[in-house]
């Protein structure tokens, strides 16, 4: 049975609304950070693949050539070193982005917990309001009955 709750006002409703807005902002921020993490992860994977291919190429050249070309080897090692440095930087960036994403996820979870506790508090407040209204209506019904009883007895 749905009760008439027109007189009910939840005192923490503004806080609940602000919490909803903050949760929405955090969710949008988290989505953007997830895209950034995926993009950076793709960069790291590509660099790692490039480094692996360069290493395998150098190893295969060493196995099939009896004469080593120092300049070719030097260029290959310089290229691998450049890729390795770039890979290290990209991995650090990925780690930093993941840390920021984890902070945002933690904040979003905390906001969800707050919203859930506010919802539980509101449900409890509604139940208390319903009980008080039921009690008030019962008292009014008793008062009305007593008034009618006295009016009937009065000549």
């Amino acid at each position: 049975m749905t009760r008439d709750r027109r007189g009910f006002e939840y005192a923490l409703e503004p806080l609940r609304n602000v919490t909803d807005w903050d949760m929405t902002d955090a969710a949008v921020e988290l989505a953007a950070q997830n895209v950034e993490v995926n993009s950076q992860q793709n960069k790291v994977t590509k660099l790692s693949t490039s480094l692996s291919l360069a290493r395998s190429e150098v190893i295969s050249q060493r196995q099939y050539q009896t004469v080593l070309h120092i300049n070719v080897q030097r260029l290959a090692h310089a290229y691998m070193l450049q890729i390795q440095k770039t890979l290290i930087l990209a991995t650090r960036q990925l780690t930093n982005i993941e840390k920021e994403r984890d902070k945002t996820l933690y904040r979003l979870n905390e906001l969800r917990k707050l919203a859930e506790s506010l919802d539980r508090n509101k449900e409890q407040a509604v139940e208390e309001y319903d009980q008080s209204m039921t009690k008030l209506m019962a008292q009014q019904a008793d008062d009305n009955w007593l008034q009618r009883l006295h009016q009937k007895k009065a000549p």
Side-chain angles (χ1 to χ4, degrees):
M1 180 175 136
T2 305
R3 296 189 180 260
D4 184 18
R5 295 187 175 122
R6 283 182 277 183
F8 177 74
E9 289 184 25
Y10 184 53
L12 297 176
E13 193 65 34
L15 178 61
R16 180 64 175 99
N17 291 337
V18 169
T19 303
D20 279 343
W21 299 333
D22 289 345
M23 281 178 18
T24 301
D25 290 345
V28 168
E29 185 179 340
L30 182 63
Q33 287 173 338
N34 281 333
V35 168
E36 193 175 354
V37 164
N38 288 337
S39 173
Q40 189 67 24
Q41 183 64 47
N42 289 337
K43 288 178 187 177
V44 168
T45 302
K46 286 178 184 178
L47 287 169
S48 181
T49 303
S50 295
L51 184 61
S52 295
L53 289 174
R55 281 183 182 158
S56 354
E57 186 64 29
V58 167
I59 290 171
S60 69
Q61 285 178 2
R62 284 183 185 167
Q63 290 175 349
Y64 295 116
Q65 293 180 351
T66 54
V67 178
L68 288 176
H69 298 286
I70 299 299
N71 288 335
V72 173
Q73 291 294 317
R74 188 176 303 143
L75 287 173
H77 285 285
Y79 175 71
M80 286 192 308
L81 185 61
Q82 179 186 5
I83 291 176
Q84 193 171 23
K85 287 179 181 178
T86 307
L87 178 62
I88 290 170
L89 288 174
T91 304
R92 285 182 187 157
Q93 287 175 337
L94 177 62
T95 302
N96 291 337
I97 294 169
E98 287 174 334
K99 284 179 184 178
E100 288 300 315
R101 182 195 57 187
D102 292 345
K103 287 178 187 177
T104 303
L105 182 60
Y106 178 77
R107 186 177 53 139
L108 180 61
N109 285 333
E110 291 300 311
L111 288 168
R112 284 183 179 158
K113 288 177 189 177
L114 176 62
E116 289 172 3
S117 67
L118 288 171
D119 288 342
R120 282 191 304 271
N121 182 269
K122 183 176 182 178
E123 289 172 10
Q124 184 180 8
V126 165
E127 288 176 14
E128 290 173 3
Y129 178 79
D130 286 345
Q131 288 174 353
S132 68
M133 291 308 295
T134 302
K135 184 177 177 181
L136 181 65
M137 290 185 346
Q139 286 175 346
Q140 287 176 346
D142 287 346
D143 290 344
N144 289 340
W145 182 78
L146 287 173
Q147 284 178 356
R148 280 193 305 259
L149 185 66
H150 287 301
Q151 287 174 355
K152 288 182 183 179
K153 287 185 180 182

